[in-house]
């Protein structure tokens, strides 16, 4: 009696050319393909670019309250700064975060069954994204919309951050959030390059992984250094640039009528 031929073994993910933990962006998946592409892209531009700028700008805090105030003043003096703030930061960030939560809720975590490194990386990306999202909400509310308004009082920036970090719990939150955010960004850049075909092949992905790791570590150390500088600095004045704050906040004085008469 002839026996049935055993079924052909299915190819493993690596044999199929799929890196464990890297979900390729496939065409022909309806609207989800576009939204996932947009989610992947916004994580690099503009959100990733803003994260680098934000950490680099905040690193000026190590030079003291006045240097940090001048940096805040410069950023808030850019042309169309509020349009840029909403169009390139708040709106893309809200989309990236909310769609990322949607992906995380629908995704399946199977590290207990398949404890591959790629699956652990997939899980860590979701966890760090949630941590970063929760931190950014409270950070934006506290620093941008609560208390003294920094766009009008840039000299109060150092003291405002210092007051917030006077709470040990807030220090812990800032440290955890900085590590999570920079990890999320660094691994997100690696995923972006893998999904978009920028790094084809295992060797290219491995080499680029070292680059992403170095960038993430440098950004993380800069962020932690800024936190350390604020915590260890002596208490700063409430406003180190009161005259600048008054100039930003107050409209220019009208020219007296007598001066106009004398000029004729």
């Amino acid at each position: 009696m002839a026996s049935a031929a055993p079924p052909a073994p299915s190819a493993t993910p690596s044999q199929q050319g799929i890196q464990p933990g890297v979900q390729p962006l496939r065409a022909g998946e309806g609207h989800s393909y576009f939204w996932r592409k947009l989610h992947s892209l916004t994580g690099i531009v503009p959100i990733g670019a803003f994260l680098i700028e934000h950490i680099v700008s905040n690193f000026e805090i190590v030079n003291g309250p006045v240097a940090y105030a001048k940096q805040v003043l410069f950023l808030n003096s850019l042309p169309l700064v509020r349009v840029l703030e909403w169009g390139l930061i708040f709106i893309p960030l809200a989309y990236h975060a909310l769609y990322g939560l949607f992906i995380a809720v629908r995704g399946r975590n199977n590290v207990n069954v398949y404890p591959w490194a790629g699956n652990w990386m997939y899980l860590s990306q979701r966890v760090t994204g949630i941590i970063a999202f929760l931190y950014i909400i409270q950070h934006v509310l506290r620093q941008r919309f609560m208390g003294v308004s920094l766009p009008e009082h840039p000299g109060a920036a150092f003291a405002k951050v210092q007051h917030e970090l006077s709470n040990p719990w807030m220090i812990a939150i800032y440290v955890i959030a900085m590590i999570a955010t920079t990890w999320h960004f660094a691994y997100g850049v690696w995923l972006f390059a893998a999904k978009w075909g920028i790094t084809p092949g295992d060797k290219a992905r491995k080499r680029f992984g070292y680059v992403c790791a170095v960038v993430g570590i440098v950004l993380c150390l800069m962020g932690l250094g800024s936190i350390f500088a604020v915590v260890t600095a002596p208490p700063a004045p409430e406003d180190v640039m009161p005259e600048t704050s008054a100039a930003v906040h107050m409209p220019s004085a009208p020219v007296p009528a007598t001066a106009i008469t004398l000029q004729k």
Side-chain angles (χ1 to χ4, degrees):
M1 180 176 181
S3 58
S10 58
T12 63
S14 59
Q15 291 173 336
Q16 296 174 357
I18 301 175
Q19 183 75 11
V22 180
Q23 299 296 327
L25 294 173
R26 297 184 179 90
E29 294 183 355
H31 296 294
S32 63
Y33 171 74
F34 171 78
W35 295 120
R36 283 180 177 269
K37 270 255 185 181
L38 185 61
H39 176 262
S40 176
L41 181 61
T42 54
I44 307 301
V45 180
I47 299 173
F50 168 72
L51 175 66
I52 296 175
E53 182 278 324
H54 190 62
I55 292 178
V56 172
S57 294
N58 281 348
F59 194 66
E60 190 66 25
I61 212 166
V62 302
N63 294 321
V66 175
Y68 186 54
K70 290 181 178 178
Q71 183 68 17
V72 174
L73 176 62
F74 165 73
L75 292 175
N76 284 280
S77 301
L78 295 174
L80 301 175
V81 63
R82 297 299 158 246
V83 176
L84 296 174
E85 187 177 58
W86 283 95
L88 297 182
I89 301 175
F90 291 153
I91 294 176
L93 183 58
Y95 166 74
H96 185 83
L98 293 176
Y99 195 76
L101 287 175
F102 173 74
I103 295 175
V105 170
R106 295 190 62 187
R108 291 180 296 176
N109 174 28
N110 58 358
V111 294
N112 58 331
V113 180
Y114 302 106
W116 297 330
N119 283 347
W120 280 109
M121 300 287 271
Y122 175 89
L123 175 62
S124 67
Q125 187 71 349
R126 270 57 190 169
V127 172
T128 54
I130 294 173
I131 293 174
F133 177 60
L134 295 176
Y135 165 76
I136 289 172
I137 291 177
Q138 70 84 28
H139 180 67
V140 171
L141 288 176
R142 286 173 175 267
Q143 293 297 320
R144 182 65 180 85
F145 299 107
M146 296 175 65
V148 60
S149 178
L150 298 184
E152 280 128 17
H153 302 277
F158 193 100
K160 189 173 186 179
V161 177
Q162 197 171 52
H163 290 328
E164 186 172 19
L165 291 180
S166 61
N167 185 339
W169 286 104
M170 289 306 301
I171 297 176
I173 291 173
Y174 265 63
V175 170
I176 293 173
M178 183 57 63
I179 296 173
T181 303
T182 51
W183 164 271
H184 188 81
F185 170 69
Y187 186 55
V189 173
W190 184 87
L191 280 176
F192 175 84
K195 290 180 177 181
W196 288 63
I198 300 174
T199 54
D202 292 338
K203 288 185 178 180
R205 290 174 180 171
K206 185 175 181 180
R207 292 172 182 171
F208 190 62
Y210 292 130
V211 175
C212 294
V214 170
V215 172
I217 291 172
V218 170
L219 291 175
C220 185
L221 291 178
M222 291 179 67
L224 295 177
S226 300
I227 297 172
F228 181 79
V230 174
V231 173
T232 58
E238 290 298 323
D239 195 332
V240 297
M241 301 171 64
E243 67 285 350
T244 302
S245 299
V248 172
H249 188 63
M250 297 290 292
S252 58
V255 179
T258 54
I260 298 175
T261 303
L262 292 174
Q263 290 175 0
K264 292 183 178 181

